[in-house]
Amino acid sequence: MSVIHILRAELELTGPGAVAAPEAHTVPSVLRPDLPLARDGWGNPYLPATSLTGSLRHHTPQHRRQALFGDVVRTTGTSRGNGRDETTAIASTVRVLGTRLTLPDAPLSERRRTAVDRHRAAAKATTLHNRELLPPGTELALWLRIDTDTTASPLIDEVVELLACWRPRIGGGRTTGHGRAELITVRHRAIDLSTPEGLHHWLTTGGPALVDDHATVVHERAHHQGGAPDEPHLFGTALPFRIADALHIGTGASADRPGRNSGLSQILRDHDDTPIIPGSTWKGVLRARVEFILRSTGIGDVCASVEDNTSGSCGTCVVCETFGWSERPGRTPDHAEPPKTAGARGRLLFADSPVREGQVRVRNHVAIDRVFGGARNEALYAEETVEDGHVSLHIRHDKPVADLIRAALILALTDLADGTIGVGGGTTRGYGTLAAQPATADRLSTEHAWAVTTLRAHLDATSSVSAPATQEAPA
């Protein structure tokens, strides 16, 4: 093969995201994130090419994956007649040469998260962790190499078309809105080694210059409005809500207030300094309510993630299959090797929801002395809250979702719209109540009867299977 094709794909993060490198911290410290960014030898943020290769391979049609990205084929001894299992490696036709990140004029951010104890409806002990993230607008360059016999090759056209309809999700946190990216451009440079010019360029040039000089733009986002489509909404569209009272989703940090003895508990904001409801909050609230609804109705075996000693989920029930699950043994002492983990990614994708047209206010609170009935000394504290805003809930799915879960989600969203459950902190003292906008209320009302019928059908099916068989008495 005398022609070397170099493709440069340029992508842009449309939301926060990163590939974490927890192994980078050998000594635990409260001053460092639990899930720091992967970094290169110079300390710059880095995104391994393997992450993008896996995403692109998964995006490739099943029947073309082996031809484009290689495979490892295992052959049993019985089929070969020698009694020994053998492994055959097939090299990838598409070679991934490397990646390069370009950060926007915005700082790196951190997100703190904690699990909620189902019994106490409060933060679960030893589950607080924080993740370092790249800001939206981060640009990523990916270089690919393909060798062919001719300058014009259908293989190049196939790979370019594959890139054009690719919408990768980079790093972890895909089901909670992290790592969303879009393709900006694809540049192509063919280097013909059978010509003096091509051979001279190949031998005297290296790195990105192999494609940057005299490259042809074969795909550009400006000429393909919208790019590759997002995953479909579970309910056909986003579901708008409004904040009925006040909302507080904290960052886990407190800001100093000049001239005051108490700090200020800050609310979570995005890169535009807009208050948000993170996708992880939506996912946690709705998963807990779906579990409660299915357990209360007695439909099948539902994940029992309510016990204090349960660190993950069962991994076998329909809730785990839809929302994902993880299992981690107990915590290990310092300097010890971290425990192994297991799990599976969910089918539902929850995005961050910016709060629009909301007013950020500071509310002061003080604890009451139970004996004297007055304010307790040194118990004053303050919280930022968002009032009178609007949010849109985006629930997407990348795999089919069972009707049972969809029905339970409709009832859970109805409870959210009715104020039975809330979002964020302080839900037992007037925070976090959402009201459905007319479009959401109409959709929930329309599908409520179907949801009840679906749950009853599953309950009847479960009851008929579990009921013992009866025998007729002999005549």
Side-chain angles (χ1 to χ4, degrees):
M1 296 184 179
S2 59
V3 181
I4 298 175
H5 300 266
I6 306 294
L7 295 173
R8 171 174 171 156
E10 298 172 354
L11 303 103
E12 179 183 2
L13 284 178
T14 58
V19 172
E23 68 278 1
H25 288 172
T26 56
V27 179
S29 171
V30 295
L31 301 179
R32 299 174 176 175
D34 300 289
L35 296 174
L37 283 171
R39 298 178 182 270
D40 59 19
W42 293 268
N44 299 316
Y46 168 67
L47 200 151
T50 52
S51 296
L52 290 174
T53 306
S55 174
L56 186 57
R57 178 188 174 89
H58 181 74
H59 172 67
T60 305
Q62 182 71 36
H63 68 281
R64 292 293 295 163
R65 290 180 186 176
Q66 186 180 95
L68 293 179
F69 294 96
D71 203 351
V72 177
V73 180
R74 303 183 186 278
T75 306
T76 61
T78 55
S79 61
R80 299 181 63 90
N82 57 8
R84 294 180 301 176
D85 295 345
E86 295 184 5
T87 300
T88 303
I90 301 175
S92 174
T93 303
V94 180
R95 307 183 193 181
V96 180
L97 302 181
T99 61
R100 177 176 293 176
L101 283 177
T102 302
L103 296 176
D105 187 16
L108 301 177
S109 62
E110 291 187 13
R111 287 277 186 94
R112 287 184 173 88
R113 292 174 54 184
T114 183
V116 174
D117 189 295
R118 301 287 205 272
H119 288 301
R120 300 182 295 107
K124 195 172 184 178
T126 71
T127 61
L128 178 65
H129 63 282
N130 58 337
R131 179 187 182 93
E132 194 175 20
L133 295 170
L134 295 168
T138 299
E139 295 185 359
L140 172 67
L142 169 69
W143 286 273
L144 306 174
R145 170 182 169 178
I146 305 173
D147 296 347
T148 64
D149 294 324
T150 59
T151 303
S153 172
L155 183 61
I156 303 302
D157 297 334
E158 180 184 2
V159 174
V160 171
E161 184 64 26
L162 190 66
L163 290 169
C165 61
W166 179 40
R167 184 180 284 270
R169 299 294 183 263
I170 299 171
R174 168 182 174 136
T175 60
T176 53
H178 292 169
R180 294 163 56 85
E182 288 185 1
L183 187 72
I184 304 175
T185 58
V186 179
R187 303 176 187 272
H188 173 233
R189 174 72 187 274
I191 305 173
D192 191 349
L193 300 184
S194 63
T195 64
E197 297 80 6
L199 186 60
H200 180 270
H201 180 72
W202 178 253
L203 294 177
T204 59
T205 310
L210 284 171
V211 64
D212 290 349
D213 298 336
H214 309 291
T216 302
V217 176
V218 293
H219 175 83
E220 191 171 8
R221 181 172 60 179
H223 298 159
H224 299 78
Q225 293 296 329
D230 268 325
E231 295 86 356
H233 281 95
L234 182 64
F235 299 105
T237 185
L239 303 176
F241 290 84
R242 67 176 179 85
I243 300 174
D245 38 43
L247 177 71
H248 175 82
I249 298 178
T251 63
S254 180
D256 294 331
R257 295 195 295 172
R260 297 179 180 269
N261 296 329
S262 61
L264 177 64
S265 179
Q266 298 176 302
I267 56 175
L268 184 64
R269 302 170 184 263
D270 64 8
H271 61 287
D272 289 328
D273 203 34
T274 302
I276 63 171
I277 300 177
S280 57
T281 295
W282 289 121
K283 181 179 178 179
V285 169
L286 293 177
R287 174 176 184 146
R289 195 62 180 178
V290 166
E291 289 178 4
F292 173 80
I293 290 171
L294 295 182
R295 281 198 306 269
S296 300
T297 53
I299 299 177
D301 295 327
V302 180
C303 177
S305 58
V306 297
E307 300 176 3
D308 293 335
N309 60 354
T310 302
S311 58
S313 305
C314 69
T316 58
C317 68
V318 66
V319 176
C320 289
E321 180 184 274
T322 307
F323 286 87
W325 64 280
S326 63
E327 178 180 341
R328 179 183 291 273
R331 296 176 63 88
T332 56
D334 295 347
H335 309 289
E337 183 179 355
K340 296 181 179 180
T341 60
R345 190 176 65 199
R347 304 184 175 203
L348 295 177
L349 312 177
F350 297 84
D352 293 345
S353 299
V355 180
R356 306 299 182 188
E357 302 178 4
Q359 299 293 326
V360 177
R361 293 188 172 90
V362 176
R363 291 192 176 187
N364 295 298
H365 304 271
V366 65
I368 300 298
D369 191 299
R370 297 294 193 269
V371 177
F372 299 102
R376 184 185 300 175
N377 291 333
E378 300 182 356
L380 178 68
Y381 64 98
E383 294 177 333
E384 275 188 322
T385 61
V386 188
E387 303 176 9
D388 304 325
H390 303 271
V391 296
S392 292
L393 170 58
H394 295 265
I395 307 178
R396 301 178 184 271
H397 63 101
D398 57 2
K399 293 180 181 179
V401 176
D403 287 344
L404 178 63
I405 292 296
R406 194 177 189 278
L409 266 174
I410 291 173
L411 298 185
L413 290 169
T414 302
D415 290 342
L416 181 67
D418 292 342
T420 305
I421 58 176
V423 175
T427 56
T428 60
R429 49 191 175 90
Y431 284 5
T433 304
L434 302 181
Q437 297 281 44
T440 302
D442 292 344
R443 177 167 293 276
L444 295 178
S445 176
T446 301
E447 299 202 24
H448 188 272
W450 173 85
V452 173
T453 302
T454 301
L455 291 179
R456 284 177 176 170
H458 278 274
L459 179 59
D460 293 340
T462 304
S463 302
S464 62
V465 171
S466 60
T470 57
Q471 296 181 353
E472 292 184 358

